[in-house]
Amino acid sequence: MIAVPHEKALVKKDKLRVVVGTNKWKINNSLDEEYEPRPAHIIVTNAYALVGTEVPYCVLRKNCEHFATEQRYGKAESRQVRKAKETAKVVAPGALLAMGVMGLFLALARLLRALFGRRKENKNEL
């Protein structure tokens, strides 16, 4: 699938060597333990039927991994998106805490500058 503007993707058929070039690749059927793979002839028939069509595309909800797992298992899922969401759940609270601490530090710095800055000005006035 190649992303095109307006949240659409064009389903294409290419030889693997054309797509990957000299890059390394591997078959990833990691969800086989979780879901029952559909028969190969059904996967191929469904995939061929989509060649040349535009399908919805969204990095988080309908990306190429969703497309591949939907063809193999009949269920669109992305392990990459799932992992990113899980990471965000762990990282986000820490990031919010860090921003809160920074906010308090900046507020304290402004307060100290206001207090000591005025004293300096007052000394200059004497």
PDB file of all heavy atoms in Angstrom, residues 60 78-96:
ATOM      1  N   LEU A  60      -2.702   5.474  12.415  1.00  0.00           N
ATOM      2  CA  LEU A  60      -3.090   4.865  13.684  1.00  0.00           C
ATOM      3  C   LEU A  60      -4.213   3.841  13.579  1.00  0.00           C
ATOM      4  O   LEU A  60      -4.313   2.944  14.404  1.00  0.00           O
ATOM      5  CB  LEU A  60      -3.501   5.943  14.684  1.00  0.00           C
ATOM      6  CG  LEU A  60      -2.410   6.927  15.072  1.00  0.00           C
ATOM      7  CD1 LEU A  60      -2.957   7.993  15.991  1.00  0.00           C
ATOM      8  CD2 LEU A  60      -1.238   6.211  15.715  1.00  0.00           C
ATOM      9  N   SER A  78      -2.674  -3.692  14.297  1.00  0.00           N
ATOM     10  CA  SER A  78      -1.282  -3.273  14.126  1.00  0.00           C
ATOM     11  C   SER A  78      -0.568  -3.386  15.453  1.00  0.00           C
ATOM     12  O   SER A  78      -0.887  -2.674  16.403  1.00  0.00           O
ATOM     13  CB  SER A  78      -1.208  -1.830  13.610  1.00  0.00           C
ATOM     14  OG  SER A  78       0.123  -1.377  13.642  1.00  0.00           O
ATOM     15  N   ARG A  79       0.391  -4.278  15.510  1.00  0.00           N
ATOM     16  CA  ARG A  79       1.197  -4.430  16.717  1.00  0.00           C
ATOM     17  C   ARG A  79       1.997  -3.161  16.989  1.00  0.00           C
ATOM     18  O   ARG A  79       2.210  -2.774  18.127  1.00  0.00           O
ATOM     19  CB  ARG A  79       2.149  -5.618  16.580  1.00  0.00           C
ATOM     20  CG  ARG A  79       1.490  -6.962  16.812  1.00  0.00           C
ATOM     21  CD  ARG A  79       1.632  -7.288  18.294  1.00  0.00           C
ATOM     22  NE  ARG A  79       0.820  -8.398  18.687  1.00  0.00           N
ATOM     23  CZ  ARG A  79       1.289  -9.591  19.011  1.00  0.00           C
ATOM     24  NH1 ARG A  79       2.562  -9.838  18.916  1.00  0.00           N
ATOM     25  NH2 ARG A  79       0.475 -10.523  19.430  1.00  0.00           N
ATOM     26  N   GLN A  80       2.469  -2.505  15.917  1.00  0.00           N
ATOM     27  CA  GLN A  80       3.248  -1.278  16.084  1.00  0.00           C
ATOM     28  C   GLN A  80       2.401  -0.202  16.752  1.00  0.00           C
ATOM     29  O   GLN A  80       2.866   0.491  17.664  1.00  0.00           O
ATOM     30  CB  GLN A  80       3.753  -0.782  14.734  1.00  0.00           C
ATOM     31  CG  GLN A  80       4.767  -1.696  14.104  1.00  0.00           C
ATOM     32  CD  GLN A  80       5.122  -1.272  12.686  1.00  0.00           C
ATOM     33  OE1 GLN A  80       4.633  -0.273  12.175  1.00  0.00           O
ATOM     34  NE2 GLN A  80       5.981  -2.040  12.044  1.00  0.00           N
ATOM     35  N   VAL A  81       1.151  -0.060  16.304  1.00  0.00           N
ATOM     36  CA  VAL A  81       0.266   0.949  16.892  1.00  0.00           C
ATOM     37  C   VAL A  81      -0.055   0.568  18.327  1.00  0.00           C
ATOM     38  O   VAL A  81      -0.039   1.411  19.223  1.00  0.00           O
ATOM     39  CB  VAL A  81      -1.018   1.120  16.050  1.00  0.00           C
ATOM     40  CG1 VAL A  81      -2.030   1.988  16.766  1.00  0.00           C
ATOM     41  CG2 VAL A  81      -0.681   1.705  14.684  1.00  0.00           C
ATOM     42  N   ARG A  82      -0.316  -0.712  18.563  1.00  0.00           N
ATOM     43  CA  ARG A  82      -0.627  -1.167  19.920  1.00  0.00           C
ATOM     44  C   ARG A  82       0.538  -0.869  20.853  1.00  0.00           C
ATOM     45  O   ARG A  82       0.360  -0.345  21.951  1.00  0.00           O
ATOM     46  CB  ARG A  82      -0.930  -2.665  19.937  1.00  0.00           C
ATOM     47  CG  ARG A  82      -1.367  -3.156  21.316  1.00  0.00           C
ATOM     48  CD  ARG A  82      -1.388  -4.652  21.489  1.00  0.00           C
ATOM     49  NE  ARG A  82      -2.115  -5.378  20.491  1.00  0.00           N
ATOM     50  CZ  ARG A  82      -2.139  -6.708  20.451  1.00  0.00           C
ATOM     51  NH1 ARG A  82      -1.477  -7.422  21.343  1.00  0.00           N
ATOM     52  NH2 ARG A  82      -2.809  -7.339  19.513  1.00  0.00           N
ATOM     53  N   LYS A  83       1.762  -1.166  20.407  1.00  0.00           N
ATOM     54  CA  LYS A  83       2.956  -0.919  21.221  1.00  0.00           C
ATOM     55  C   LYS A  83       3.139   0.577  21.477  1.00  0.00           C
ATOM     56  O   LYS A  83       3.468   0.993  22.587  1.00  0.00           O
ATOM     57  CB  LYS A  83       4.187  -1.496  20.533  1.00  0.00           C
ATOM     58  CG  LYS A  83       5.432  -1.437  21.362  1.00  0.00           C
ATOM     59  CD  LYS A  83       6.596  -2.126  20.681  1.00  0.00           C
ATOM     60  CE  LYS A  83       7.836  -2.054  21.538  1.00  0.00           C
ATOM     61  NZ  LYS A  83       8.981  -2.708  20.927  1.00  0.00           N
ATOM     62  N   ALA A  84       2.909   1.395  20.447  1.00  0.00           N
ATOM     63  CA  ALA A  84       3.039   2.848  20.605  1.00  0.00           C
ATOM     64  C   ALA A  84       2.029   3.376  21.623  1.00  0.00           C
ATOM     65  O   ALA A  84       2.363   4.226  22.452  1.00  0.00           O
ATOM     66  CB  ALA A  84       2.846   3.539  19.260  1.00  0.00           C
ATOM     67  N   LYS A  85       0.804   2.854  21.585  1.00  0.00           N
ATOM     68  CA  LYS A  85      -0.214   3.294  22.544  1.00  0.00           C
ATOM     69  C   LYS A  85       0.163   2.876  23.961  1.00  0.00           C
ATOM     70  O   LYS A  85      -0.013   3.642  24.905  1.00  0.00           O
ATOM     71  CB  LYS A  85      -1.584   2.717  22.166  1.00  0.00           C
ATOM     72  CG  LYS A  85      -2.202   3.374  20.963  1.00  0.00           C
ATOM     73  CD  LYS A  85      -3.542   2.755  20.626  1.00  0.00           C
ATOM     74  CE  LYS A  85      -4.181   3.418  19.426  1.00  0.00           C
ATOM     75  NZ  LYS A  85      -5.453   2.804  19.062  1.00  0.00           N
ATOM     76  N   GLU A  86       0.678   1.648  24.108  1.00  0.00           N
ATOM     77  CA  GLU A  86       1.102   1.183  25.433  1.00  0.00           C
ATOM     78  C   GLU A  86       2.260   2.024  25.953  1.00  0.00           C
ATOM     79  O   GLU A  86       2.302   2.379  27.125  1.00  0.00           O
ATOM     80  CB  GLU A  86       1.498  -0.294  25.362  1.00  0.00           C
ATOM     81  CG  GLU A  86       0.321  -1.215  25.154  1.00  0.00           C
ATOM     82  CD  GLU A  86       0.722  -2.651  24.817  1.00  0.00           C
ATOM     83  OE1 GLU A  86       1.937  -2.946  24.737  1.00  0.00           O
ATOM     84  OE2 GLU A  86      -0.198  -3.469  24.612  1.00  0.00           O
ATOM     85  N   THR A  87       3.200   2.363  25.086  1.00  0.00           N
ATOM     86  CA  THR A  87       4.336   3.196  25.465  1.00  0.00           C
ATOM     87  C   THR A  87       3.852   4.584  25.884  1.00  0.00           C
ATOM     88  O   THR A  87       4.322   5.140  26.874  1.00  0.00           O
ATOM     89  CB  THR A  87       5.337   3.303  24.308  1.00  0.00           C
ATOM     90  OG1 THR A  87       5.776   1.988  23.975  1.00  0.00           O
ATOM     91  CG2 THR A  87       6.532   4.158  24.689  1.00  0.00           C
ATOM     92  N   ALA A  88       2.896   5.116  25.138  1.00  0.00           N
ATOM     93  CA  ALA A  88       2.362   6.444  25.452  1.00  0.00           C
ATOM     94  C   ALA A  88       1.699   6.458  26.823  1.00  0.00           C
ATOM     95  O   ALA A  88       1.801   7.431  27.562  1.00  0.00           O
ATOM     96  CB  ALA A  88       1.379   6.887  24.374  1.00  0.00           C
ATOM     97  N   LYS A  89       1.039   5.359  27.189  1.00  0.00           N
ATOM     98  CA  LYS A  89       0.388   5.289  28.495  1.00  0.00           C
ATOM     99  C   LYS A  89       1.412   5.346  29.620  1.00  0.00           C
ATOM    100  O   LYS A  89       1.155   5.862  30.687  1.00  0.00           O
ATOM    101  CB  LYS A  89      -0.434   4.003  28.611  1.00  0.00           C
ATOM    102  CG  LYS A  89      -1.707   4.020  27.817  1.00  0.00           C
ATOM    103  CD  LYS A  89      -2.446   2.707  27.963  1.00  0.00           C
ATOM    104  CE  LYS A  89      -3.666   2.671  27.065  1.00  0.00           C
ATOM    105  NZ  LYS A  89      -4.336   1.359  27.110  1.00  0.00           N
ATOM    106  N   VAL A  90       2.597   4.798  29.376  1.00  0.00           N
ATOM    107  CA  VAL A  90       3.652   4.790  30.387  1.00  0.00           C
ATOM    108  C   VAL A  90       4.410   6.109  30.384  1.00  0.00           C
ATOM    109  O   VAL A  90       4.699   6.668  31.436  1.00  0.00           O
ATOM    110  CB  VAL A  90       4.634   3.616  30.130  1.00  0.00           C
ATOM    111  CG1 VAL A  90       5.835   3.696  31.048  1.00  0.00           C
ATOM    112  CG2 VAL A  90       3.916   2.294  30.291  1.00  0.00           C
ATOM    113  N   VAL A  91       4.718   6.626  29.199  1.00  0.00           N
ATOM    114  CA  VAL A  91       5.533   7.829  29.072  1.00  0.00           C
ATOM    115  C   VAL A  91       4.740   9.089  29.402  1.00  0.00           C
ATOM    116  O   VAL A  91       5.260   9.998  30.039  1.00  0.00           O
ATOM    117  CB  VAL A  91       6.130   7.923  27.652  1.00  0.00           C
ATOM    118  CG1 VAL A  91       6.829   9.249  27.434  1.00  0.00           C
ATOM    119  CG2 VAL A  91       7.091   6.775  27.423  1.00  0.00           C
ATOM    120  N   ALA A  92       3.485   9.149  29.004  1.00  0.00           N
ATOM    121  CA  ALA A  92       2.685  10.372  29.167  1.00  0.00           C
ATOM    122  C   ALA A  92       2.608  10.856  30.619  1.00  0.00           C
ATOM    123  O   ALA A  92       2.834  12.037  30.864  1.00  0.00           O
ATOM    124  CB  ALA A  92       1.295  10.179  28.580  1.00  0.00           C
ATOM    125  N   PRO A  93       2.312   9.992  31.598  1.00  0.00           N
ATOM    126  CA  PRO A  93       2.263  10.498  32.980  1.00  0.00           C
ATOM    127  C   PRO A  93       3.600  11.090  33.428  1.00  0.00           C
ATOM    128  O   PRO A  93       3.627  12.130  34.086  1.00  0.00           O
ATOM    129  CB  PRO A  93       1.905   9.256  33.801  1.00  0.00           C
ATOM    130  CG  PRO A  93       1.196   8.361  32.854  1.00  0.00           C
ATOM    131  CD  PRO A  93       1.870   8.596  31.524  1.00  0.00           C
ATOM    132  N   GLY A  94       4.702  10.455  33.060  1.00  0.00           N
ATOM    133  CA  GLY A  94       6.020  10.986  33.418  1.00  0.00           C
ATOM    134  C   GLY A  94       6.286  12.318  32.752  1.00  0.00           C
ATOM    135  O   GLY A  94       6.852  13.228  33.359  1.00  0.00           O
ATOM    136  N   ALA A  95       5.870  12.440  31.493  1.00  0.00           N
ATOM    137  CA  ALA A  95       6.059  13.700  30.774  1.00  0.00           C
ATOM    138  C   ALA A  95       5.223  14.800  31.410  1.00  0.00           C
ATOM    139  O   ALA A  95       5.684  15.932  31.553  1.00  0.00           O
ATOM    140  CB  ALA A  95       5.684  13.523  29.305  1.00  0.00           C
ATOM    141  N   LEU A  96       4.001  14.471  31.806  1.00  0.00           N
ATOM    142  CA  LEU A  96       3.149  15.470  32.472  1.00  0.00           C
ATOM    143  C   LEU A  96       3.759  15.903  33.798  1.00  0.00           C
ATOM    144  O   LEU A  96       3.750  17.087  34.130  1.00  0.00           O
ATOM    145  CB  LEU A  96       1.739  14.906  32.680  1.00  0.00           C
ATOM    146  CG  LEU A  96       0.893  14.769  31.431  1.00  0.00           C
ATOM    147  CD1 LEU A  96      -0.424  14.070  31.759  1.00  0.00           C
ATOM    148  CD2 LEU A  96       0.624  16.121  30.797  1.00  0.00           C
TER     149      LEU A  96
END
